[in-house]
């Protein structure tokens, strides 16, 4: 496994006597500032996901797991003060009605959090993992339920980095020496807990060959490539060139791009892939110029419950993301705006899907990968 270490950790649980809280990088402020915020309630986590303080499918998933633990602590604190969750082993003196209400409210809160962003399947996957903990803890003291949810959130958080490193190392094997690598949006350390998926491939490739060059699409309308991908790569001293979204064909035609690697927010059973808007356009251009187009994503992004990309819900976001830049309107008043946050890349355009278990053709996913449907 590559020894390259990214300097960024996006989200982590901070333990306290009262259970703890989530701390994350505020990605809405990058590249102007690198600040972390503390998230201590379910509503705050919902807002952090909705407003893209935390973004990127794997990072959203971990935020969801943290949010579930936070809500359990909120509910418990309404029943009894939490003095020391980790040391006080005295059983709580509560009645069955209080227990019943606790679990009912927990379910409602989990479902509410799951509605914060609809496209990235990692959110519902992580919340599903926390629901399993709840089901297995129903006979336990409520303090133990909270502790189990926290510990599971921390487990998922730690596993994410190791998964990304495996993705990176599998992906690095298909990157030619001295390659020009094009990526779209941000699928790096800041889209995950650390290291990254598409940028995990870049990091692992760079560890073996420091002559590679990265080309980052700016990724309108929110500019995640310009603001976040370039920020990460400059911070890690990996050569990167920023290009606008419409320039990819120019660089492909002039043989400056040897491979495309992107992340994903949801992958259907047939390999159709939802990723940031504009990804499909890049894939079509890559197919025309005979450049391999790869998707890098953990198995938690694969949704075998849907047959194709036609079943993927595409999030529509606020018009002002398109009409406003740095607080100023860039188009005429009255113009109609449609702002889909994602598009679907057809499986026929994808050379391979890079996971922690290896690289698979899109049509192989449902047969070769063990993924929870």
């Amino acid at each position: 496994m590559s020894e390259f270490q990214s300097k960024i950790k996006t989200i982590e649980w901070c333990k306290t006597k009262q259970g703890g809280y989530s701390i994350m990088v505020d990605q809405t402020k990058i590249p102007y500032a690198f600040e972390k915020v503390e998230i201590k309630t379910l509503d705050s986590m919902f807002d952090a996901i909705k407003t893209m303080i935390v973004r990127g499918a794997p990072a959203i998933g971990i935020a969801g797991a943290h949010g579930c633990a936070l809500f359990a602590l909120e509910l418990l604190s309404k029943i009894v003060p939490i003095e020391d969750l980790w040391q006080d082993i005295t059983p709580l003196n509560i009645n069955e009605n209080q227990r019943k209400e606790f679990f009912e409210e927990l379910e409602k809160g989990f479902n509410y959090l799951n509605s914060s962003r609809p496209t990235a399947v990692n959110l519902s996957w992580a919340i599903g993992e926390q629901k399993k903990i709840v089901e297995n803890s129903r006979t336990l003291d409520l303090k133990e339920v909270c502790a189990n949810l926290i510990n599971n959130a921390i487990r998922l958080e730690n596993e994410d980095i190791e998964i990304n490193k495996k993705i990176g190392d599998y992906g690095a094997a298909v990157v030619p020496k001295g390659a020009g690598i094009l990526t779209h949006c941000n699928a790096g350390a800041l889209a995950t807990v650390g290291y990254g998926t598409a940028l995990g491939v870049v990091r692992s490739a760079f560890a073996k060959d420091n002559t590679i060059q990265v080309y980052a699409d700016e990724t309108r309308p929110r500019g995640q490539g310009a603001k976040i991908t370039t920020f990460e790569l400059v911070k890690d001293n990996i050569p990167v060139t920023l290009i606008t979204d419409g320039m990819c064909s120019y660089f492909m035609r002039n043989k400056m791009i040897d491979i495309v690697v992107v992340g994903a927010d949801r992958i259907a059973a047939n390999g159709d892939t939802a990723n940031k808007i504009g990804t499909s356009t890049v894939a079509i251009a890559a197919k025309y110029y005979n450049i391999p187009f790869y998707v890098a994503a953990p198995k938690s992004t694969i949704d075998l419950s849907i047959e194709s990309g036609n079943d993927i819900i595409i999030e529509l976001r606020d018009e002002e993301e398109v009409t406003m830049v740095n607080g100023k309107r860039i188009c005429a008043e009255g113009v109609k705006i449609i702002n889909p946050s994602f598009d679907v890349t057809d499986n026929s355009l994808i050379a391979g899907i890079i996971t922690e278990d290896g690289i698979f053709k899109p049509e192989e996913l449902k047969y070769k990968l063990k993924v929870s449907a």
Side-chain angles (χ1 to χ4, degrees):
M1 180 173 287
S2 167
E3 294 183 358
F4 189 95
Q5 298 294 321
S6 171
K7 300 179 179 67
I8 295 169
K9 188 170 186 184
T10 303
I11 179 171
E12 58 187 321
W13 186 268
C14 181
K15 270 190 175 184
T16 67
K17 285 186 177 182
Q18 289 71 41
Y21 55 89
S22 183
I23 186 167
M24 63 180 66
V25 176
D26 185 344
Q27 299 191 45
T28 64
K29 296 184 177 180
I30 293 173
Y32 313 111
F34 188 78
E35 298 177 0
K36 293 190 176 184
V37 294
E38 296 176 358
I39 306 295
K40 297 184 177 181
T41 67
L42 177 71
D43 285 334
S44 295
M45 186 61 80
F46 183 98
D47 290 340
I49 295 172
K50 188 73 175 177
T51 63
M52 296 176 70
I53 288 173
V54 60
R55 44 144 301 280
I60 290 172
I62 302 306
H66 283 197
C68 292
L70 288 171
F71 190 51
L73 291 172
E74 283 186 78
L75 292 177
L76 182 59
S77 67
K78 292 177 181 178
I79 300 172
V80 60
I82 305 173
E83 295 181 359
D84 194 332
L85 185 73
W86 309 105
Q87 298 297 326
D88 184 3
I89 60 173
T90 306
L92 296 177
N93 184 22
I94 61 173
N95 59 47
E96 283 306 308
N97 285 336
Q98 288 174 308
R99 284 186 64 85
K100 183 173 181 290
E101 184 178 0
F102 175 89
F103 285 110
E104 287 176 351
E105 290 301 311
L106 207 59
E107 177 77 11
K108 291 177 185 177
F110 286 13
N111 293 337
Y112 165 71
L113 186 61
N114 195 35
S115 69
S116 55
R117 294 198 72 188
T119 303
V121 72
N122 305 67
L123 178 59
S124 59
W125 169 81
I127 291 173
E129 292 296 299
Q130 292 290 55
K131 285 183 176 182
K132 292 176 187 176
I133 295 297
V134 172
E135 286 306 307
N136 292 331
S137 303
R138 283 189 175 271
T139 60
L140 301 179
D141 188 81
L142 296 189
K143 288 185 295 187
E144 291 183 80
V145 177
C146 291
N148 289 347
L149 286 168
I150 292 169
N151 287 332
N152 194 51
I154 294 170
R155 177 185 68 83
L156 294 174
E157 173 191 319
N158 291 334
E159 285 181 356
D160 180 79
I161 295 176
E162 296 309 310
I163 286 170
N164 292 338
K165 288 181 178 180
K166 290 177 181 178
I167 290 170
D169 288 342
Y170 278 119
V174 298
V175 176
K177 184 173 176 58
I181 307 172
L182 177 66
T183 190
H184 187 78
C185 194
N186 173 258
L190 285 163
T192 63
V193 175
Y195 205 73
T197 53
L199 291 194
V201 173
V202 168
R203 288 185 167 100
S204 292
F206 184 76
K208 297 193 304 181
D209 172 21
N210 63 8
T211 67
I212 65 168
Q213 298 286 323
V214 180
Y215 295 85
D217 279 344
E218 64 173 348
T219 324
R220 279 279 289 154
R222 291 187 65 94
Q224 295 98 323
K227 293 177 180 178
I228 302 175
T229 294
T230 59
F231 174 86
E232 280 196 36
L233 295 178
V234 167
K235 194 176 183 68
D236 282 345
N237 297 312
I238 297 175
V240 58
T241 300
L242 176 64
I243 67 175
T244 65
D245 293 357
M247 291 179 181
C248 71
S249 183
Y250 171 90
F251 286 90
M252 291 176 180
R253 181 182 180 88
N254 285 283
K255 303 186 185 305
M256 299 170 74
I257 307 298
D258 300 289
I259 186 172
V260 181
V261 185
V262 301
D265 287 82
R266 188 181 297 245
I267 302 172
N270 71 342
D272 289 351
T273 296
N275 192 51
K276 187 56 59 183
I277 192 73
T279 301
S280 181
T281 304
V282 174
I284 292 167
K287 187 76 169 181
Y288 181 84
Y289 288 107
N290 199 31
I291 295 169
F293 179 98
Y294 286 91
V295 173
K299 291 190 297 180
S300 58
T301 307
I302 300 168
D303 186 356
L304 295 183
S305 71
I306 57 173
E307 286 299 316
S308 75
N310 295 330
D311 301 317
I312 297 175
I313 298 171
I314 299 298
E315 176 187 3
L316 296 177
R317 292 187 62 82
D318 195 286
E319 293 182 0
E320 288 193 353
E321 291 184 350
V322 175
T323 62
M324 305 292 288
V325 174
N326 293 330
K328 294 185 177 181
R329 190 174 181 88
I330 62 169
C331 59
E333 294 284 353
V335 65
K336 185 178 180 181
I337 304 296
I338 303 173
N339 183 22
S341 191
F342 306 92
D343 60 22
V344 175
T345 298
D346 192 83
N347 59 15
S348 64
L349 302 173
I350 299 171
I353 296 173
I354 308 166
T355 76
E356 65 268 36
D357 285 354
I359 303 176
F360 300 90
K361 298 289 185 184
E363 63 271 17
E364 295 177 326
L365 292 181
K366 65 173 74 175
Y367 305 111
K368 291 192 175 182
L369 279 182
K370 293 180 180 179
V371 181
S372 298

